[in-house]
Amino acid sequence: MIENSTGLLTIGELARATGLTVRTIRYWSDEDVLTPVGRSAGGYRLYDAGSFARLELIRTLRELGLGLAHVRAVLSGERTVAEVAAAHVAALDAQISSLKVTRAVLSTVARRGSSAEETTLMNKLARLSAAERRRILEEFVEETLHGLDTVDPEIRKRMLATVAELPEDPTPEQVDAWVELAEMVQDPGFRARMRRATEFNAADRGPEVPAGASLWFMKRLVDRVGEARRRGVAPEAPEAAEVLREVLGDADPAAVLERLDTAFDDRLARYRELLCVLKGRPLAVHAEEFAWTAAALRALPAR
């Protein structure tokens, strides 16, 4: 009803004018979001035109998903609508990111037919914060490089750049890759293997060796051996010896084989593959070329 003597509205009239329920308006009044301007003789709450406008703003903010605390802050003048909207966007972004991870984990579980234990581990690892995920990989890289000052600067730079993040919108394959990578870099055996490979690189470099020499050698190996493989040259074939001479020069074959066996085994190749998946890059681990080289080196004494 309308209080004709004052021009004020009761909750019922305000509800009819706005399309909201009496229960909703009463709740917002009880929460001090919509304050009545007075009371009727019968004790009913009364609202004016300003209350109507305030109610429309409350409804808009609530429909946008803002909580009552944010709505109250806007209406009291403590924060602007723009400030609250920005805060709400940040909260929504976090929720969306969490939902995307949940979707990716569930997709992986469905595709792999994961057990309850595997599902729990996968969800735990995938839901680590970005800082926690970065810490796991940074500790791995720091342990690998600690005290090895003569490691090729380009190799050091690349290792530091491999601190890969789980993307904000990960695919099931990237969730798989992150879970496998996180388990791998925390495995003492794998960490020791990577450390050993890095020690070989540090030992090979003297003060006169330019930065990037290791990468140049690997590129030359991949190019020459890749060409030989395309020509159908088998590691045991006589032609393989010439390919090795082009790649290795005067280097001791036994020492090179030892380094290849350490630096390019299956687990290290898998580590590089996982990084490619996480970063969304094409796989380029060249496992076949390094395996061919190792096989050719082993075949040398038989010639």
Side-chain angles (χ1 to χ4, degrees):
M1 62 181 263
I2 300 177
E3 294 288 317
N4 293 324
S5 60
T6 62
L8 301 179
L9 305 176
T10 63
I11 283 184
E13 183 61 26
L14 193 58
R16 287 190 290 275
T18 60
L20 294 166
T21 66
V22 169
R23 183 177 181 179
T24 297
I25 297 174
R26 182 178 291 115
Y27 172 69
W28 287 346
S29 292
D30 290 342
E31 292 295 319
D32 295 325
V33 178
L34 181 69
T35 306
V37 297
R39 297 265 180 176
S40 69
Y44 294 104
R45 305 179 211 201
L46 300 175
Y47 303 89
D48 59 8
S51 302
F52 183 91
R54 187 182 181 94
L55 186 58
E56 286 298 312
L57 177 58
I58 295 170
R59 174 162 63 179
T60 298
L61 296 176
R62 291 291 288 159
E63 288 176 348
L64 289 172
L66 272 67
L68 287 180
H70 279 149
V71 172
R72 193 179 296 111
V74 169
L75 294 173
S76 67
E78 295 176 13
R79 303 186 71 181
T80 67
V81 173
E83 290 171 340
V84 170
H88 194 55
V89 165
L92 285 174
D93 284 343
Q95 292 175 21
I96 290 169
S97 178
S98 178
L99 287 172
K100 286 177 177 177
V101 171
T102 298
R103 182 182 184 281
V105 169
L106 290 175
S107 296
T108 298
V109 169
R111 178 168 49 84
R112 290 172 47 170
S114 302
S115 66
E117 293 77 10
E118 185 182 17
T119 300
T120 299
L121 174 62
M122 190 182 308
N123 187 54
K124 179 181 178 181
L125 289 174
R127 289 191 177 283
L128 290 174
S129 70
E132 290 169 325
R133 291 196 295 268
R134 177 170 288 274
R135 177 186 55 77
I136 288 173
L137 292 176
E138 283 179 343
E139 287 181 353
F140 166 69
V141 172
E142 287 172 4
E143 179 180 310
T144 300
L145 294 172
H146 180 69
L148 301 179
D149 298 333
T150 58
V151 168
D152 189 322
E154 288 300 317
I155 296 293
R156 180 184 295 273
K157 180 179 177 181
R158 286 199 174 194
M159 288 194 68
L160 292 172
T162 60
V163 180
E165 294 284 359
L166 184 65
E168 290 185 4
D169 187 8
T171 64
E173 292 74 20
Q174 287 172 320
V175 171
D176 271 352
W178 161 250
V179 171
E180 186 177 345
L181 183 68
E183 292 179 293
M184 181 179 288
V185 300
Q186 294 178 89
D187 173 39
F190 177 75
R191 294 170 84 110
R193 192 76 172 178
M194 179 65 85
R195 172 71 179 188
R196 183 64 175 148
T198 310
E199 286 173 344
F200 273 133
N201 180 272
D204 287 340
R205 291 192 74 251
E208 74 286 352
V209 177
S214 300
L215 298 178
W216 176 82
F217 168 75
M218 288 187 285
K219 183 180 185 306
R220 184 175 62 173
L221 184 151
V222 168
D223 289 344
R224 298 289 194 277
V225 172
E227 180 184 351
R229 292 182 68 246
R230 286 190 291 274
R231 290 191 285 112
V233 177
E236 302 81 12
E239 294 175 71
E242 181 59 32
V243 175
L244 290 178
R245 279 192 291 272
E246 291 179 13
V247 173
L248 306 181
D250 297 329
D252 177 14
V256 174
L257 179 58
E258 184 182 9
R259 282 154 174 72
L260 284 178
D261 283 342
T262 300
F264 299 99
D265 68 354
D266 290 342
R267 294 199 76 195
L268 288 172
R270 182 58 179 161
Y271 167 76
R272 298 181 185 98
E273 288 178 356
L274 294 173
L275 290 175
C276 289
V277 172
L278 276 174
K279 291 178 177 291
R281 296 175 179 171
L283 296 180
V285 296
H286 305 297
E288 295 84 358
E289 287 80 4
F290 290 112
W292 186 99
T293 305
L297 287 166
R298 290 190 181 92
L300 279 179
R303 296 194 185 107

